Amino acid sequence: MAAEFPAKFSAEFSGRLLAWWDRHGRKDLPWQQQRSAYRVWVSEIMLQQTQVTTVIPYFERFCRRFPGIQDLADASLDEVLSLWAGLGYYARARNLHRAARICRDQYNDELPDTLEALQSLPGIGRSTAAAILSQAHNQAHAILDGNVKRWLTRHRGIHGWPGKTAVLRELWQAAEALLPGRRPPDYTQAQMDLGATVCLRRKPKCGACPVSDDCYALQNDCIEQLPERRNAKPIPQRETAITIARDKHGRILLQRRPPTGIWGGLWSLPEIGPDDCAEQLGLRGKSEHVLAPFQHTFSHFRLLLQPYLLECAETATAVRSGTDLQWFAPSEWRQLGLPQPIKKLLNDLENS
Ligand code: SF4
């Protein structure tokens, strides 16, 4: 079914959606209070790949510490990452920080207020830019986040994997065609709420759906098939060794990871086995232990981690320079933005 319908349909469609939102929509989310472009931006970035209930405490902590763009721009990346630790997809935090510095230096501590300028900032795509402008500046722009893609493919009967350029183009056309000129912030939120609370991935609540009367997928009994999935490939698995080098004062040796790639820019355990510690890092161990392996799943692969504990004989202060390595006492590494599974491993070791 193509995304074509009479022009007046959009007014009628948005009327149904807005009336539903007035009665059932979410109106007490923290970023809807004291609404500003900055707060909407932070929330939109956190909500990419992450559910509202998970985001709320992170958002509140983040905005307490960085109430405005300048506070965020002036902070160190380490501090930003430490407040992000546990949310995952750390490129989002690095981009947020970089974009805040651009806004401080080029836009007088403000976010720009056009689609083009917003999209030129790191980490802001078309849908995020549109969501910021509609919610903070009352501008009418179509959005197309994961929730909207789901109900839109079902309602309009759009087939094909939404990651394909042609399908994406069709989705944008449909989202634009439905866009009303009135109440931009509410219409944006209503679309998100429809996907998040009614048109769920599994078992959508079609009986409570305000647009069920003309839903293609409901009428054609193909809700389960939409949105279509990419031909599923098995997720590859990688294995790696990590070493917890601990000196006689209980300090742990950590290494800052490269700025890109998994856990980019975060402090983590050196990704080498204990034998390589002597050769590559110049560490001498008193004893070594093999700990239980564990698995962590990323979006595109699974990582099997084999941890080792290397107890170092002396106060091991000497590590080779130029390796981004540093010793941290427990009170210090707890303050760092460590990847969640690494933090858990160190906490478990401390408590054992
Ligand atoms: S009727 Fe069901 S499948 Fe269609 S948009 Fe509503 S909740 Fe989604």
Side-chain angles (χ1 to χ4, degrees):
M1 179 174 169
E4 289 170 9
F5 37 82
K8 69 174 185 183
F9 178 80
S10 77
E12 195 270 327
F13 178 90
S14 61
R16 279 185 280 162
L17 195 51
L18 283 165
W20 167 81
W21 185 80
D22 285 338
R23 291 190 61 195
H24 304 288
R26 297 180 291 189
K27 303 176 190 76
D28 53 357
L29 298 170
W31 42 91
Q32 293 172 312
Q33 324 306 318
Q34 305 163 301
R35 186 129 68 182
S36 69
Y38 171 72
R39 286 167 65 82
V40 171
W41 172 42
V42 172
S43 72
E44 285 298 319
I45 301 298
M46 287 187 170
L47 287 165
Q48 291 167 1
Q49 329 277 355
T50 314
Q51 299 215 337
V52 163
T53 46
T54 307
V55 162
I56 287 175
Y58 280 90
F59 175 84
E60 288 179 331
R61 255 196 318 272
F62 198 90
C63 287
R64 251 196 320 274
R65 171 59 191 90
F66 309 122
I69 286 183
Q70 193 179 1
D71 307 295
L72 177 56
D74 291 346
S76 70
L77 179 59
D78 264 352
E79 193 180 1
V80 175
L81 288 171
S82 75
L83 284 172
W84 203 273
L87 265 186
Y89 300 96
Y90 295 93
R92 296 183 298 176
R94 291 195 299 276
N95 283 334
L96 202 59
H97 187 237
R98 272 175 57 217
R101 292 192 163 180
I102 294 171
C103 292
R104 178 192 63 190
D105 300 340
Q106 296 178 21
Y107 294 103
N108 218 9
D109 291 331
E110 302 277 351
L111 273 170
D113 61 0
T114 66
L115 269 185
E116 295 71 26
L118 271 177
Q119 285 181 85
S120 72
L121 294 173
I124 300 187
R126 178 175 169 183
S127 184
T128 302
I132 294 169
L133 293 176
S134 68
Q135 293 181 86
H137 294 291
N138 212 29
Q139 296 179 17
H141 295 291
I143 61 162
L144 196 56
D145 67 5
N147 279 322
V148 178
K149 279 180 192 164
R150 185 165 56 254
W151 69 253
L152 202 52
T153 52
R154 288 171 174 168
H155 193 271
R156 304 313 312 150
I158 296 174
H159 289 272
W161 175 54
K164 262 173 77 177
T165 308
V167 179
L168 200 56
R169 195 180 311 121
E170 196 177 346
L171 280 163
W172 275 113
Q173 281 168 358
E176 300 242 337
L178 290 172
L179 186 69
R182 66 195 184 104
R183 299 179 62 187
D186 296 345
Y187 183 71
T188 292
Q189 189 65 50
Q191 291 179 87
M192 295 175 178
D193 288 0
L194 183 68
T197 66
V198 176
C199 196
L200 306 172
R201 196 178 308 274
R202 275 184 280 279
K203 298 198 180 136
K205 302 172 184 171
C206 300
C209 177
V211 292
S212 59
D213 282 356
D214 41 16
C215 174
Y216 171 94
L218 185 63
Q219 287 168 1
N220 291 277
D221 197 19
C222 60
I223 293 171
E224 296 280 306
Q225 284 78 51
L226 293 173
E228 285 184 15
R229 288 164 200 80
R230 185 174 23 186
N231 291 339
K233 288 194 219 133
I235 299 182
Q237 175 160 303
R238 279 175 34 196
E239 295 178 13
T240 190
I242 47 174
T243 294
I244 307 170
R246 183 160 66 178
D247 77 2
K248 70 174 187 180
H249 297 303
R251 294 184 306 172
I252 302 289
L253 186 66
L254 296 177
Q255 183 164 33
R256 190 195 283 283
R257 296 188 62 87
T260 54
I262 59 163
W263 299 332
L266 269 64
W267 289 95
S268 186
L269 293 165
E271 219 176 295
I272 50 177
D275 293 345
D276 292 329
C277 277
E279 195 176 317
Q280 294 183 27
L281 308 182
L283 278 182
R284 277 177 301 121
K286 185 175 65 174
S287 63
E288 68 180 62
H289 312 272
V290 184
L291 305 179
F294 62 98
Q295 190 169 271
H296 187 71
T297 304
F298 294 91
S299 53
H300 50 297
F301 69 97
R302 264 194 292 272
L303 187 62
L304 184 67
L305 294 115
Q306 173 56 67
Y308 296 90
L309 174 62
L310 184 70
E311 300 282 12
C312 296
E314 301 159 19
T315 310
T317 49
V319 284
R320 287 192 187 140
S321 57
T323 48
D324 275 340
L325 290 154
Q326 207 171 306
W327 293 94
F328 291 94
S331 60
E332 294 169 326
W333 59 251
R334 287 206 181 90
Q335 303 300 317
L336 293 173
L338 299 180
Q340 207 61 8
I342 300 298
K343 192 171 224 170
K344 181 174 182 313
L345 175 67
L346 292 179
N347 276 327
D348 289 350
L349 187 68
E350 279 287 305
N351 299 329
S352 64

